Amino acid sequence: MIYITMKTNREIAAYALGELKKAGADSAQCTVSQGKGDELNVDGGEFSLMRSLFTSSISLKAIKGGKKGVAGTNRIDKEAVDEAVRSCILSAEGSVEDPAEYISPDQGIHSFTAGAAAGDNGKLFDRIDGYMKAVKAEYPKIVLEQLISSYSASERLYMNTNGTELTFKFGLYGFESMFSAHEGEKASSFNGYGVKTDNLDSDFMDMGMMRQLLGESERQLDTKPVDGKFVGTLVITPACTLDLLGSLLRNCVTDTVLIDGTSPWKDKLGQKVADSKLTVSSNPLDPRICDGERVTADGYVSEDYDILRDGVLTSFSLSQYGAKKSGNLRAKNTSFSIVIAEGDKSVDEIIASVDKGVLLGRFSGGSPETNGDFSGVAKNSFLIENGKLCGALSETMISGNLLDMVNNVQAVSRETVCDGASVLPWIAFGGITVSGK
């Protein structure tokens, strides 16, 4: 037996693709990823975990006689790759022929880098320690239940038998804080917030909505439910925008719903489907987004694109398979780096314009129906009356229809919040039913 030593991602991918071709694959692709992650966590106000994790993975896809096979492994030695090749070919031989399955055409050879090339655990420790001290000094009623922080770096290579070689090297920090307010026997609902960043130049306290959410938690020690029921305005904060709008996009523009024909927007491309105030884009290359995709999962160079432009549906979010299967065009990336364009009102102006409604901080509910109907509990939220924020809410239900909601946009804020993964404004929607639970 000849022992083959494979050290680089390219050597591993080239070997795997060669073996797939020898085994009868007409075309094939291979993604190899190797990386390292450092974690530094806090539980109950005390440092509880520090560890380093080394990761590796290989995923294979082969087309043989029009049939697709897939396989993967978390090991990168020759024996593991050989076994993955065998599994991939067996998977293809046992599958059903599907003309929508194919390997991307030659995209050339490209290499991309982004983020922090190396982590600084000492500075990360200092930032966490500084955050905990700032919370104690500025928000004394807050209890930090858990902090999860990390630095991760990875090198990922996509290669296929058509000549494509796409490499992406990146590194970034992640920070998530879980907290609640306490005073005597009173306690607020828990909340959590996370950010991603490619540097540690700023305090975690000053990133995204962190400071605002901590302050709001202290104001949520005394809550009351809505008295009765009304139809009013829902002002969604950036902290929970994607809880609802993300569900709308999944139900309207993604592979599954367009392939099976259940998308309410399946025949609406190029038509107005939302209020003209809404422009929603998938922009992994936006400089404010630090973990943006550079190489799609199906082997193309990632580009930014609009999903909605001034309320008009300009693109579906389809993979190459979903595009071929549904008869539409492939989206220019396979990420969920959502950027919603800012509006022309300040947050204060938006709230001042609301007669009666809810400022929604967190939504707790099941997945919306395909037709857009949703219902759930408003968490970490406040009542708005006569243009002013009133008391914090408890046991308050909100319901409506997402398709109707995006056609009833009252305002979009000038202010936006970037958490490193998305850029989002405050948005006011009319026609939402609010009731005591």
Side-chain angles (χ1 to χ4, degrees):
M1 181 179 73
I2 299 175
Y3 182 76
I4 299 176
T5 301
M6 299 177 291
K7 294 182 180 180
T8 68
N9 287 353
R10 190 182 188 285
E11 289 172 333
I12 295 166
Y15 174 77
L17 293 176
E19 293 301 297
L20 286 169
K21 291 288 284 186
K22 288 179 186 177
D26 301 314
S27 58
Q29 68 181 40
C30 176
T31 301
V32 184
S33 180
Q34 297 190 63
K36 176 189 176 185
D38 297 322
E39 294 184 19
L40 183 58
N41 298 343
V42 174
D43 286 283
E46 300 291 335
F47 284 95
S48 60
L49 173 69
M50 184 173 182
R51 65 179 177 179
S52 294
L53 299 172
F54 294 87
T55 60
S56 60
S57 66
I58 302 170
S59 64
L60 303 176
K61 174 181 174 180
I63 306 297
K64 183 179 180 183
K67 301 178 181 181
K68 178 190 76 169
V70 294
T73 177
N74 292 325
R75 291 167 48 201
I76 57 174
D77 56 275
K78 178 180 179 298
E79 289 74 16
V81 175
D82 288 341
E83 179 58 35
V85 167
R86 285 191 290 270
S87 296
C88 187
I89 293 297
L90 287 172
S91 174
E93 292 172 345
S95 67
V96 177
E97 186 174 348
D98 187 345
E101 289 288 0
Y102 66 102
I103 304 299
S104 65
D106 187 1
Q107 303 297 300
I109 300 174
H110 303 278
S111 183
F112 307 93
T113 60
D120 187 336
N121 285 337
K123 193 168 184 178
L124 180 59
F125 179 93
D126 291 340
R127 286 300 184 203
I128 297 170
D129 187 55
Y131 173 80
M132 291 192 295
K133 289 176 179 176
V135 170
K136 185 175 181 180
E138 298 177 39
Y139 305 98
K141 298 175 184 177
I142 293 293
V143 172
L144 293 175
E145 298 169 10
Q146 188 177 53
L147 304 179
I148 301 174
S149 65
S150 64
Y151 169 79
S152 58
S154 179
E155 179 177 345
R156 187 179 302 141
L157 168 69
Y158 172 95
M159 181 186 291
N160 69 26
T161 53
N162 293 328
T164 300
E165 293 184 31
L166 305 174
T167 302
F168 183 32
K169 299 178 182 180
F170 66 92
L172 73 158
Y173 297 93
F175 178 78
E176 296 180 39
S177 179
M178 300 292 293
F179 50 85
S180 56
H182 295 259
E183 186 177 47
E185 296 183 356
K186 296 187 294 185
S188 72
S189 175
F190 81 90
N191 206 350
Y193 189 66
V195 295
K196 296 179 180 180
T197 180
D198 55 11
N199 66 77
L200 295 174
D201 296 341
S202 301
D203 294 332
F204 287 134
M205 183 68 83
D206 297 324
M207 293 185 182
M209 291 187 69
M210 192 71 73
R211 191 180 296 277
Q212 179 174 339
L213 295 178
L214 289 166
E216 288 180 353
S217 285
E218 289 196 330
R219 294 172 57 198
Q220 289 157 0
L221 284 166
D222 295 297
T223 61
K224 62 179 182 180
V226 164
D227 184 16
K229 181 178 180 179
F230 67 90
V231 175
T233 300
L234 186 67
V235 181
I236 301 182
T237 68
C240 75
T241 297
L242 295 184
D243 289 345
L244 290 175
L245 291 191
S247 295
L248 174 70
L249 296 177
R250 284 186 288 272
N251 281 349
C252 292
V253 301
T254 56
D255 278 12
T256 301
V257 294
L258 286 161
I259 291 172
D260 65 22
T262 59
S263 166
W265 291 351
K266 62 181 183 295
D267 301 316
K268 303 292 187 181
L269 198 62
Q271 299 179 35
K272 192 171 184 294
V273 296
D275 190 282
S276 59
K277 299 181 190 68
L278 272 186
T279 293
V280 180
S281 308
S282 179
N283 288 357
L285 276 62
D286 189 301
R288 295 169 292 182
I289 292 178
C290 65
D291 68 338
E293 172 190 277
R294 296 295 185 272
V295 177
T296 73
D298 39 23
Y300 296 85
V301 176
S302 301
E303 301 176 67
D304 294 341
Y305 74 95
D306 295 331
I307 301 169
L308 300 176
R309 166 61 64 177
D310 300 327
V312 175
L313 179 63
T314 56
S315 177
F316 295 124
S317 298
L318 290 167
S319 68
Q320 66 172 6
Y321 177 79
K324 191 78 173 285
K325 200 73 173 175
S326 65
N328 291 288
L329 293 177
R330 177 187 64 85
K332 293 182 178 181
N333 67 70
T334 52
S335 73
F336 199 66
S337 300
I338 297 298
V339 175
I340 298 180
E342 68 274 10
D344 60 359
K345 305 278 188 185
S346 70
V347 175
D348 289 342
E349 288 172 333
I350 292 174
I351 292 173
S353 69
V354 175
D355 289 331
K356 195 164 187 177
V358 170
L359 178 69
L360 184 67
R362 185 163 65 90
F363 177 76
S364 177
S367 299
E369 301 293 333
T370 304
N371 67 0
D373 288 342
F374 73 92
S375 179
V377 182
K379 297 282 191 178
N380 306 106
S381 301
F382 295 88
L383 181 67
I384 307 173
E385 284 189 310
N386 300 317
K388 294 182 180 180
L389 280 181
C390 301
L393 293 173
S394 64
E395 305 300 319
T396 298
M397 299 290 295
I398 58 172
S399 60
N401 182 280
L402 294 174
L403 297 169
D404 294 338
M405 194 173 82
V406 295
N407 280 284
N408 194 1
V409 177
Q410 296 180 348
V412 179
S413 71
R414 286 195 298 266
E415 301 95 328
T416 60
V417 172
C418 178
D419 61 5
S422 60
V423 183
L424 306 169
W426 283 254
I427 309 176
F429 299 96
I432 305 299
T433 300
V434 181
S435 60
K437 191 174 176 183

